[in-house]
Amino acid sequence: MILLQKKDRKEIDTAPIARRFSVGECRPETVILVLDRFTGDSDLSEWQFCVTGVNTIHEPVSKQATIRQISKDTVSLLWEVDGAFLQFAGVLHLELQARTADNAKCIVFRMDDIWVSPAVWGNGMPTVARMQEIYCQMHQLYDKMMQLSLRLPKISDAGTWMLYDSETGTYVDSGIRCEATYITGITLDKGADGKIVSGTAEMSDKTSVDIVIKELEESP
């Protein structure tokens, strides 16, 4: 089975294997990936490759892809689709990562999603214990989200956002400047009769705004 890189794109067409695999298959099947040898100024003939993915229960999977053949314009890789990729039925999200030996450079080729078909009796679906574990994790995330939703961000005296830390139970200065302008102080002026007639509001951006006091007219 051969998968080709899409023309002038860092993407690989997985249509030939889109529905080829079923859950629980443990016999490795070899797929050949054919890439352009040159990407920009990079020659991929001496790079290292790894197919990585995320299965339907959001668990990561990966497998090294070895170089099979190098030609003038292409690099052919061997990828063994083993049982690690086929543990669970559903959508399998994939990508091919290419790196230099020193990890100084990295290129990611997106691969179209493939579908792992379920077995007749539902084999490969998460076990009851795994489903309970996922439920507990979701419940913990929900509790944390509700806790954070009740403690909205605050503005510090320095004009930065203070965020609530659920681990320590305190607000922590994020260092992120608050773009909004807010009042830092108000000065009021009184007239001869002692009534407040005007004032000035000092703003966080060092500007000031005049405050005009208007008396309400008495109703007849």
Side-chain angles (χ1 to χ4, degrees):
M1 192 63 61
I2 299 177
L3 306 183
L4 302 177
Q5 179 179 347
K6 296 180 181 179
K7 183 177 177 58
D8 299 326
R9 298 168 67 177
K10 288 188 289 188
E11 298 181 11
I12 298 173
D13 183 7
T14 62
I17 63 169
R19 291 182 174 270
R20 182 175 180 81
F21 303 109
S22 296
V23 68
E25 290 186 271
C26 56
R27 179 181 59 83
E29 181 167 345
T30 301
V31 175
I32 299 175
L33 309 174
V34 181
L35 307 176
D36 294 336
R37 176 174 174 175
F38 299 95
T39 298
D41 59 352
S42 299
D43 182 353
L44 304 185
S45 62
E46 296 184 358
W47 287 40
Q48 298 175 351
F49 300 88
C50 181
V51 177
T52 64
V54 177
N55 60 27
T56 192
I57 63 170
H58 306 295
E59 289 183 342
V61 291
S62 64
K63 180 73 174 182
Q64 293 296 125
T66 57
I67 293 181
R68 172 178 178 267
Q69 184 178 1
I70 300 172
S71 69
K72 179 182 177 181
D73 299 316
T74 63
V75 175
S76 298
L77 310 175
L78 295 180
W79 167 40
E80 287 189 347
V81 186
D82 58 18
F85 289 88
L86 309 175
Q87 289 183 0
F88 300 101
V91 177
L92 183 60
H93 307 284
L94 298 169
E95 68 180 22
L96 173 68
Q97 297 181 0
R99 297 179 182 273
T100 54
D102 58 0
N103 287 326
K105 293 183 179 180
C106 175
I107 297 176
V108 176
F109 296 86
R110 194 185 73 81
M111 302 174 67
D112 297 330
D113 295 342
I114 68 173
W115 175 262
V116 180
S117 301
V120 175
W121 300 107
N123 293 336
M125 298 303 289
T127 63
V128 173
R130 179 58 177 149
M131 293 176 66
Q132 290 175 340
E133 181 182 352
I134 294 172
Y135 172 79
C136 291
Q137 292 174 350
M138 293 177 62
H139 192 69
Q140 290 172 357
L141 289 174
Y142 174 79
D143 288 343
K144 188 173 183 179
M145 179 190 68
M146 291 301 297
Q147 186 180 35
L148 292 176
S149 68
L150 298 175
R151 292 172 173 82
L152 299 177
K154 298 180 180 180
I155 300 174
S156 69
D157 294 336
T160 54
W161 286 109
M162 300 284 291
L163 304 179
Y164 183 76
D165 186 343
S166 59
E167 299 295 332
T168 62
T170 60
Y171 277 88
V172 179
D173 194 334
S174 67
I176 301 174
R177 297 290 305 174
C178 176
E179 299 297 334
T181 304
Y182 56 94
I183 298 174
T184 58
I186 295 177
T187 302
L188 299 176
D189 300 320
K190 295 182 179 181
D193 57 358
K195 293 183 178 181
I196 298 174
V197 294
S198 64
T200 303
E202 301 295 334
M203 309 303 292
S204 59
D205 59 358
K206 307 304 181 183
T207 61
S208 60
V209 177
D210 292 334
I211 300 174
V212 178
I213 308 297
K214 292 185 178 181
E215 293 186 3
L216 296 176
E217 296 182 359
E218 295 184 0
S219 299

